[in-house]
Amino acid sequence: MRQPRGGWLSTVLGLDLGTSQVKALLCAADGTTLGRGTAGYQVATPRPGWAEANPEHWWQAACIAVRAAVGPASAEVAGLAVAGQMHGVLLCTERAVALRPAITWLDRRAEAEAEDYQRLPEDLLARLGNAPSAGMAGPILLWLSRHEPDVYWQARWMLQPKDWLRSRLTGPGVQAATDPTDASGTLLFDLARNEWAADVARALGLRIDLLPAIRPPAEIAGPLLPAAAEHLGLRPGLPVAIGAADTAASLLAAHLPPPLSGPPPGPRSSPPPRPRSSSPPGPRSSPPPGRPPAPPPGPWGLLTLGTGGQLIVPLTPSPDIPFSDNPDRGSAAVSGTTNLFRSVDGGIYRLAGAQNVGVTLDWVRRTLGASWDELYATAARPWRADTPVFLPYLAGERWDHRDTGGAWTGLTLAHQREDLMRAALEGVAFLLRGKLEDLRAHDTPSPAAIQLAGGGSQPPAWRQLLADALGVPLYPIGDGWLTARGAALIAAAATGLAPDASTTARSDQNPEAIVPTSQLPESAYRRFLSVLR
């Protein structure tokens, strides 16, 4: 590698474009964290059920976060990649100028358009691998075509959030592109054939020419523009990788062990390996409450907590899962409660997503005038039968048409502010418990242990409450930076910083399990379900 003015090109930069903030992580070749930066922004709700973002705020936040992460080490950065929130839609011109605010995954305006998907022939729906949902790009684009036709026909590209941000880095001279991990979350992607589902778009009357090229996550998109480099505090011309969806990047960095292996090694600190097969999953098992668990024999899952929550289980190809070797199968894999998405290594994973996690807890603490520390402190309180039941569905849930909204129930004059906060934590934990049961209901290997990550997973008492509610040992990994680390790994693979992308240097972190310690959550969960139904 050539040597710039400050030293060897020895570091990579990973950006995580989240729902409410950008994170930038500077890593050495061996995975050591060298610098971090964050900057936030707001999600706008101009109407009930709408959730929009100003993409210029993403760009401004990225500039702040990158400068904070890199500091004086900009000359050593070999390359960068962006991972970002899934499902959103940004309509832009040929030069990546946004024509309207981005519509994010929290948005519910396209409910009628999601219903239109249900009228498609079954064979077309099956190839998408996912049931229609209002917060995904296909229904949103269909809504825009009907309600904002001027913007729709003026647009040159429909981009996912991370792809728009990358376009600000590389400029209009670089072809617009996305990657399979993000495309698979649009409801416009043929999961089996690994390409746009042009026949689905045509059946819906959508413009196929809006869809960008699909390229591998670790492929170089182009060089960093001089103007963008100046704003970011980086050297111009450094390679920018295509990048990946946030959950796929987190899954990459988590480095889940294959089935029948021992405890998790902690976050991966080297670039993505080549695809590998997995052994058949072992039997489900959970350790007795309070007893340190032996290494679980069964499959591992990943739970990431932020604005939303995602429970992820990697899958191996089977006749019932749409994949490259069986593109005409897959209807049995289309679930009404979970998703199938592409992973960075070309594999596939099943995801059960919860929308009302951090966004709901933030509403609770602001409404009650509490700090985050005060909210999470109530997680250390014991489980009690008289705790109110909290329904956390303030933003709705994917495929949930009950329209219950959020509520505290079972309140009495004896309840106080702390009881409401504790109930909110239990309600969110039980929402995640329901997502775990959704995975189990669709013949997905049930995780015998779960790696826990994300910015919303750090308080120890909250981790214990989650372990109790889920009934599964949790292994905390990382520190809320798993997605950014996954982006950095993609950058390292794209730039060739690591000579062998199949070699995995493992972190020294080997977390201890947080095991369920109480049976009381079972009765509380039954009360939660009785109110919900």
Side-chain angles (χ1 to χ4, degrees):
M1 281 181 190
R2 66 183 181 87
Q3 186 178 18
R5 61 184 183 277
W8 292 100
L9 296 172
S10 57
T11 64
V12 286
L13 187 65
L15 273 65
D16 171 11
L17 174 61
T19 308
S20 60
Q21 65 178 336
V22 169
K23 296 179 180 179
L25 185 70
L26 184 70
C27 292
D30 64 357
T32 302
T33 297
L34 301 176
R36 298 176 178 179
T38 63
Y41 36 79
Q42 297 294 319
V43 175
T45 54
R47 296 185 187 180
W50 290 24
E52 299 183 344
N54 184 338
E56 286 301 321
H57 293 169
W58 297 343
W59 169 244
Q60 294 162 11
C63 294
I64 295 170
V66 168
R67 284 183 171 274
V70 173
S74 62
E76 301 174 11
V77 178
L80 67 89
V82 184
Q85 53 178 294
M86 297 177 70
H87 311 308
V89 168
L90 196 148
L91 292 181
C92 63
T93 67
E94 181 75 42
R95 301 183 66 84
V97 176
L99 296 173
R100 69 173 320 283
I103 300 177
T104 73
W105 60 275
L106 283 168
D107 199 279
R108 309 305 300 169
R109 75 185 71 185
E111 293 283 3
E113 286 70 24
E115 289 295 323
D116 289 342
Y117 262 80
Q118 300 288 3
R119 301 184 183 95
L120 293 174
E122 185 177 346
D123 61 321
L124 292 186
L125 277 176
R127 294 211 302 275
L128 302 177
N130 294 282
S133 171
M136 300 177 80
I140 293 172
L141 186 62
L142 190 56
W143 185 93
L144 287 165
S145 73
R146 294 170 174 174
H147 297 273
E148 298 183 13
D150 291 346
V151 172
Y152 174 80
W153 287 105
Q154 185 183 352
R156 176 61 187 92
W157 299 114
M158 180 202 78
L159 296 182
Q160 299 289 279
K162 72 104 170 44
D163 298 319
W164 179 87
L165 182 59
R166 190 191 61 249
S167 73
R168 287 297 301 261
L169 304 176
T170 58
V174 174
Q175 182 189 28
T178 190
D179 80 294
T181 70
D182 237 350
S184 62
T186 62
L187 285 177
L188 293 169
F189 181 79
D190 190 317
L191 195 68
R193 293 179 170 85
N194 209 33
E195 63 187 20
W196 291 119
D199 47 359
V200 171
R202 279 192 292 266
L204 293 166
L206 292 173
R207 294 171 52 195
I208 301 171
D209 64 310
L210 287 173
L211 306 178
I214 298 175
R215 298 167 62 183
E219 189 174 297
I220 300 295
L224 183 65
L225 284 174
E230 183 178 358
H231 285 293
L232 295 165
L234 298 173
R235 63 179 179 86
L238 66 83
V240 179
I242 293 292
D246 54 0
T247 53
S250 294
L251 184 59
L252 171 70
H255 189 207
L256 293 183
L260 304 179
S261 66
R268 175 182 285 146
S269 54
S270 72
R274 299 184 183 96
R276 53 182 171 79
S277 62
S278 298
S279 305
R284 299 175 184 172
S285 65
S286 296
R291 184 185 303 172
W300 289 79
L302 173 66
L303 173 60
T304 62
L305 300 180
T307 302
Q310 296 81 33
L311 262 166
I312 303 168
V313 177
L315 301 178
T316 51
S318 77
D320 288 330
I321 296 176
F323 210 73
S324 58
D325 58 352
N326 50 308
D328 296 319
R329 299 293 299 275
S331 59
V334 178
S335 159
T337 54
T338 64
N339 293 106
L340 287 174
F341 297 137
R342 283 279 176 175
S343 53
V344 171
D345 64 3
I348 203 165
Y349 63 94
R350 192 178 288 281
L351 177 146
Q355 298 192 167
N356 293 276
V357 181
V359 67
T360 292
L361 293 177
D362 185 43
W363 177 88
V364 167
R365 70 161 195 90
R366 287 187 289 105
T367 301
L368 297 178
S371 67
W372 282 108
D373 287 343
E374 287 178 302
L375 174 67
Y376 285 126
T378 65
R381 295 172 48 170
W383 292 88
R384 290 177 9 193
D386 64 345
T387 298
V389 172
F390 178 69
L391 301 181
Y393 304 97
L394 275 68
E397 281 294 324
R398 191 173 296 168
W399 305 304
D400 188 340
H401 303 292
R402 284 173 292 198
D403 196 25
T404 57
W408 280 281
T409 66
L411 294 174
T412 71
L413 292 175
H415 286 125
Q416 301 180 6
R417 175 171 169 265
E418 289 74 17
D419 298 305
L420 300 181
M421 290 191 286
R422 167 69 189 210
L425 293 176
E426 290 185 15
V428 169
F430 290 147
L431 168 64
L432 296 169
R433 165 75 173 267
K435 300 302 177 181
L436 180 60
E437 293 182 353
D438 287 342
L439 289 175
R440 291 169 174 163
H442 294 285
D443 296 324
T444 298
S446 180
I450 294 174
Q451 291 192 8
L452 179 63
S457 68
Q458 303 307 304
W462 173 228
R463 292 172 172 177
Q464 183 62 63
L465 189 154
L466 286 169
D468 290 345
L470 296 175
V472 176
L474 301 180
Y475 288 77
I477 60 172
D479 46 11
W481 292 77
L482 205 61
T483 297
R485 182 172 295 278
L489 297 177
I490 291 170
T495 57
L497 187 61
D500 184 357
S502 65
T503 301
T504 301
R506 295 181 175 180
S507 167
D508 291 331
Q509 181 180 359
N510 190 13
E512 294 184 0
I514 299 174
V515 299
T517 58
S518 173
Q519 296 296 328
L520 293 177
E522 293 304 313
S523 59
Y525 184 55
R526 288 194 294 271
R527 284 197 299 127
F528 174 84
L529 292 179
S530 67
V531 172
L532 183 61
R533 291 166 181 162

